[in-house]
DNA sequence: ATAACTTTGTGAAGAATTTCACAAGCCTGT
DNA sequence: ACAGGCTTGTGAAATTCTTCACAAAGTTAT
């Protein structure tokens, strides 16, 4: 998240930023910003603040964004389509190298941007060839675990999961699940308990 | 999240579940499960475990899912469309009562399921009429803050934000931001630092 | 060069969260 | 009815995370 704001500042030509300034921007405290950054190294200049552009570069390095990551999307439904067309991915160095589905009605379908939906059964061979390490999963919950097991064997090492289920993966595979219904339920809880608790910001 | 698994167990006809069993399911510890649940009340029966169905009901109550929430979607792009068609929402009591956009090419568009995209300028009137309290924001980052200010005035009290930006809202409004690029960057970090840290599960 | 001012980096204090461990309670056998 | 076996609920300990506060270091003005 820090990176996003630093790039913003950078594009506006700001040279340096103090922890105070960054904290207001991120909605946190100066001490937090300094602790967070210091855990990766000593980036700031005392009396001056943090060099915006240089810090951006270093964070990108730390996050492993120095090179392009190849990503496959599994599931060519509505969510898969939205993700495939999402510019935010390509802008940040994630190149979508394939979209897969197992439904005959979807396979071969040509999307607006030239992507052709491929058969799941080709995934193994493709992943071996293009060395994709990241998969985005946009398939029904019931199919998710078997597909996960399969793509891990194929070589995938990180999964962004949109299926509303908890998945089992070995320790050497990173998994991040995004569950939109759960997010909405969190809002429902907040609305319901507004008076009782302090309101979330 | 607990609720999701409890419903799963319930639908399989399981009567009770121990904290141990739930913990394995959620990927946490039995002590954590007991602490979490006990913070809302005393649901379990000693020697037996938690009554699955009854606990589901109580959690739904706590989360405020006892009634239908009316939701508006702002932004009729790819993401907005995917969300509008996402069955997970309606399945869990969130009814989409309107989709809005300010682009003339989108307004009036009829989607497959009968939804008609309406002009942003009608949002205020509509929200007053249908008493929607929750908005899903699927618009470009640059427009997000002005739209947020506007829908809050209109009466929205909770926002699920898909725009890649930090938004300012008053304390009485709940905000949850989902940023898919940030999630992917988290995976990139995990992949890059696999050997150094213990792998994320 | 020096003084006054700013801001980082970081130990130490404080707060919050998680884990431990066990008494108390409930169920099932006999 | 009672003993033996599980499992919860919860204080207390351990751990993790956040905030405080200040010395050290850099900048600016004179």
């Amino acid at each position: 998240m820090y990176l996003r704001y630093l790039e913003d500042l950078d594009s506006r030509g700001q040279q340096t930023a103090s922890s105070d300034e960054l904290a207001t921007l991120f909605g946190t405290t100066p001490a937090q910003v300094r602790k967070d950054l210091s855990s990766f190294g000593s980036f700031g200049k005392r009396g001056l603040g943090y060099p915006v552009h240089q810090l951006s570069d270093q964070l990108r390095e730390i996050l492993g964004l120095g090179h392009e990551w190849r990503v496959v999307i599994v599931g060519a439904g509505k969510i898969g389509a939205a993700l495939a067309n999402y510019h935010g991915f390509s802008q940040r160095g994630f190149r979508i190298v394939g979209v897969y589905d197992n439904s005959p009605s979807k396979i071969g379908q040509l999307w607006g941007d030239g992507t052709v939906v491929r058969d799941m059964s080709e995934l193994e061979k493709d992943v071996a060839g293009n060395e994709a390490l990241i998969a985005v999963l946009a398939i029904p919950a019931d199919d998710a675990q078997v597909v996960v097991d399969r793509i891990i064997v194929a070589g995938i090492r990180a999964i962004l999961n949109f299926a509303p289920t908890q998945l089992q993966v070995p320790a050497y595979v990173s998994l991040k699940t995004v569950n939109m219904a759960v997010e909405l339920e969190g809002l429902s809880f907040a609305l319901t308990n507004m008076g009782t608790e302090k309101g979330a910001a």
Side-chain angles (χ1 to χ4, degrees), chain A:
Chain A
M1 284 303 302
Y2 286 46
L3 179 56
R4 190 147 274 96
Y5 284 92
L6 285 167
E7 288 178 339
D8 223 52
L9 289 177
D10 190 27
S11 74
R12 283 197 224 111
Q14 186 164 339
Q15 302 283 314
T16 62
S18 69
S19 57
D20 234 317
E21 194 175 351
L22 294 175
T24 339
L25 220 52
F26 304 160
T28 178
T29 64
Q32 187 70 68
V33 171
R34 295 204 295 276
K35 262 276 151 70
D36 286 352
L37 293 177
S38 80
S39 78
F40 291 114
S42 203
F43 304 118
K45 270 203 166 55
R46 297 175 185 215
L48 195 59
Y50 295 89
V52 172
H53 186 83
Q54 192 181 320
L55 181 55
S56 293
D57 285 350
Q58 310 219 40
L59 284 185
R60 251 190 304 274
E61 188 63 34
I62 290 162
L63 288 172
L65 301 177
H67 63 94
E68 187 183 74
W69 290 99
R70 287 176 286 281
V71 178
V72 296
I73 292 182
V74 182
K78 286 273 164 41
I79 295 182
L83 294 170
N85 286 294
Y86 180 48
H87 279 217
F89 287 163
S90 47
Q91 270 167 27
R92 302 195 73 69
F94 297 95
R95 184 153 65 92
I96 291 156
V97 296
V99 178
Y100 298 85
D101 207 297
N102 59 11
S103 150
S105 67
K106 300 250 177 63
I107 295 164
Q109 219 175 60
L110 179 71
W111 285 352
D113 60 339
T115 313
V116 177
V117 178
R118 295 170 67 73
D119 193 316
M120 265 299 291
S121 64
E122 308 199 64
L123 189 140
E124 277 86 354
K125 171 172 57 65
D126 289 0
V127 166
N130 60 28
E131 291 178 333
L133 289 178
I134 303 178
V136 176
L137 220 67
I139 60 178
D142 292 339
D143 308 348
Q145 186 65 59
V146 277
V147 169
V148 162
D149 294 344
R150 206 172 137 185
I151 65 181
I152 290 173
V153 172
I156 292 296
R157 289 296 170 265
I159 297 169
L160 181 57
N161 171 41
F162 285 86
T165 185
Q166 186 91 10
L167 297 171
Q168 285 315 115
V169 295
Y172 60 87
V173 174
S174 303
L175 171 69
K176 181 88 203 176
T177 295
V178 174
N179 190 322
M180 293 176 296
V182 167
E183 309 291 350
L184 266 191
E185 284 163 20
L187 291 179
S188 165
F189 175 68
L191 283 176
T192 307
N193 302 68
M194 241 352 178
T196 322
E197 304 270 337
K198 50 185 175 272

